[in-house]
Amino acid sequence: MTQPASSKLQALPRLRAALPLMTLLALGLGLLCSGQAQAQSYQVQSLSGTGNVFAYALNAKGQVSGTSADAQGNVQAFLSGANGLGLVARTQLPGDATGNAINFSGQIAGELAAGSGPLSVQAFVTGAQGQNPVLLGGLGGNVSTARGINDSGTAVGMARDSSNKFQAVQWLANSTEALRLATLGGSTSAALGINNAGLIVGNSGLSDGSVHAVVWGLNGLAITDLGTLGGRSSTALAINSLGQVSGSSRMADGNLHAFITGAGAQGMSDLGTLGWLHSQASFINNAGVVVGNLFNGTDGASYAAGHAFITGANGQGMVDMNSLVSLGDGLYLNDVWGLNDAGQVLVSDQNGFGYLLTPVPEAASSVMLLAGLLTLGLLARQRRSPTARLTSAQA
C-alpha cells in the first residue's frame, strides 16, 4: 500500500553649500540599503500549496527546489519558476527524489531513495532547468547524496565507502564519477557547499576523533583546517565568492555557535545566539549576509521550537527573522533553506512548510534615493542653463 504523501514528506526576510555632497551620500546610502538582505519588511509568499510540497533550495533567480508528492504519493524533486512561481520541471526517477541545491541555470543536485529491502540512496544531478536527471556514482557503499552545485555544474556531497564510512566527494560537470576529497587524517568527511570558483566547504575528521570545518582547494586535494571556536567540532556549510565561510562550531562549554570567516576563509568570528543556547549559520551571500537558526536543545522538539535569524553585511547585527515577518495563526519562522544575492530567503515554519521572503526596500531608503535622483536632475539642468554658463564664463 502506498504510504501517504504527507507522512513521507513530513519526516523529512541641510545646508545649501553642502547639499550636492549630502545628496550623493544619501543616494549611495539608499542604493546600499535597497540591496541589503536584512530589510525592514518582506513580501511573504507561501510555497507549500496543498501541503505536499517542501522547499529545500534557492538559486539566484529565486527558483526553488525540494520535494513534492502527487495524488498517488509519488515523491519527486521539482523546480519552480523565477521567484518561486509556477512549476518548470518535476523529476521522474524510480524512487523518492529530493532536490537539495540549484544553480543559476536550474540544475538540481539531490538524492534518490529507492529499494523495498535495504534502502539505497543515490546522488543525482539534472540538466538545465531540471531536465534529464542523471544518477551519480558512489564509493562502493549504498548511500551517496549531492548537497551543493555551482554554476559550472560541479556537484559536491558525500558517499559511503566500502567500509561504511562517509567520505566527502565531488562530481565534476558532465561526469558521474565520485571523486574522493582529502581529509585531515580522520576516517570521515562531508562536502556541503561549493562556490563558483570551485572552493568546497564541509568538515573532516581528525586522527584524535574531533571534527573540524574545512575548505578544499580547486583540485579537491588541498585542504585547510578552519579550526573551532573552542570546542572539539565545527562544520562549514556555505562559502561566497570572496571566500567568506559560514557554519557552526562547538564552544568550550559545549554549546553550538554560528560563525563567519573573513575573506579567503581567514579567521573564525562568533555570531552569537541572541540569548538562545545554540545557533548555526546555514547560508551566506556575496554581501556577507548570513542566515541560519537558533534553538535551545539538540532534540527534535527543541529544534522545531527554534527560530530563524538573519544578519546584515559581513555577519553584523543578527536579528530574529520573526521580528521582521509575522506569519500569523501561531506560526513562526523556524529554519532557513536558502539565501541569494537579491536578499531573498527561503524559510520554513515549525511544520516544515516553505515560504519565499523577498525584501521590500525601507521607506527611508526609498525617500533618500528619490531625493538624490531629483537633486542630481536639478543640478544637471542647472549646468545646461544659459544663465549658469554665462555666470561661469564671467567668473
Side-chain angles (χ1 to χ4, degrees):
M1 184 174 69
T2 302
Q3 186 178 2
S6 59
S7 63
K8 292 171 73 175
L9 290 170
Q10 191 65 44
L12 297 164
R14 301 166 188 133
L15 294 173
R16 182 181 298 272
L19 182 59
L21 175 60
M22 294 192 69
T23 300
L24 290 172
L25 290 173
L27 176 60
L29 182 59
L31 290 169
L32 286 171
C33 290
S34 65
Q36 287 180 347
Q38 184 181 334
Q40 289 290 326
S41 59
Y42 287 87
Q43 175 185 327
V44 181
Q45 177 186 341
S46 174
L47 301 172
S48 296
T50 62
N52 289 334
V53 175
F54 290 81
Y56 300 134
L58 176 70
N59 73 3
K61 298 177 182 177
Q63 290 182 286
V64 172
S65 185
T67 188
S68 68
D70 60 20
Q72 289 72 46
N74 299 312
V75 178
Q76 293 293 313
F78 72 91
L79 180 70
S80 80
N83 299 314
L85 300 174
L87 180 65
V88 171
R90 194 167 184 271
T91 57
Q92 298 297 324
L93 289 164
D96 293 349
T98 301
N100 294 324
I102 337 167
N103 67 10
F104 186 81
S105 66
Q107 286 185 279
I108 305 170
E111 64 202 30
L112 173 71
S116 55
L119 183 65
S120 172
V121 178
Q122 190 169 0
F124 75 86
V125 67
T126 73
Q129 296 305 301
Q131 302 298 313
N132 305 314
V134 175
L135 294 176
L136 302 174
L139 295 177
N142 67 334
V143 177
S144 63
T145 176
R147 310 297 296 183
I149 186 168
N150 67 8
D151 289 346
S152 298
T154 294
V156 298
M158 66 197 87
R160 276 182 175 162
D161 60 19
S162 56
S163 64
N164 214 32
K165 301 286 188 180
F166 276 110
Q167 305 294 324
V169 295
Q170 67 173 332
W171 296 271
L172 299 178
N174 303 313
S175 173
T176 61
E177 181 184 3
L179 303 176
R180 189 191 304 252
L181 303 180
T183 73
L184 295 175
S187 60
T188 62
S189 58
L192 302 171
I194 182 172
N195 69 7
N196 284 333
L199 296 175
I200 301 168
V201 294
N203 60 65
S204 171
L206 282 72
S207 58
D208 65 1
S210 60
V211 177
H212 285 193
V214 296
V215 177
W216 285 278
L218 302 184
N219 59 7
L221 297 176
I223 183 171
T224 300
D225 185 349
L226 297 183
T228 76
L229 292 173
R232 282 178 54 81
S233 64
S234 61
T235 188
L237 294 175
I239 182 169
N240 67 13
S241 63
L242 298 176
Q244 290 180 293
V245 179
S246 64
S248 57
S249 172
R250 291 288 179 186
M251 308 294 287
D253 62 7
N255 291 337
L256 194 67
H257 282 207
F259 74 79
I260 185 176
T261 73
Q266 297 299 304
M268 183 182 285
S269 298
D270 184 355
L271 292 179
T273 67
L274 291 180
W276 297 68
L277 287 179
H278 308 290
S279 63
Q280 65 177 4
S282 304
F283 299 93
I284 185 169
N285 69 12
N286 286 328
V289 173
V290 177
V291 291
N293 59 320
L294 309 158
F295 48 103
N296 281 329
T298 56
D299 60 287
S302 296
Y303 193 88
H307 283 194
F309 77 77
I310 188 169
T311 75
N314 297 311
Q316 300 299 305
M318 178 191 287
V319 295
D320 187 326
M321 290 204 73
N322 291 282
S323 69
L324 305 175
V325 174
S326 176
L327 299 179
D329 298 324
L331 298 173
Y332 53 88
L333 302 180
N334 169 246
D335 208 349
V336 185
W337 300 96
L339 170 71
N340 63 22
D341 287 339
Q344 292 179 302
V345 191
L346 181 62
V347 294
S348 60
D349 62 27
Q350 68 267 39
N351 299 312
F353 298 135
Y355 305 83
L356 182 63
L357 308 184
T358 300
V360 177
E362 297 181 39
S365 299
S366 300
V367 169
M368 286 191 291
L369 177 58
L370 179 60
L373 291 173
L374 288 173
T375 306
L376 287 175
L378 290 172
L379 291 172
R381 182 176 179 181
Q382 183 183 33
R383 286 195 295 271
R384 292 195 302 268
S385 158
T387 303
R389 288 198 298 270
L390 178 59
T391 301
S392 175
Q394 288 173 338

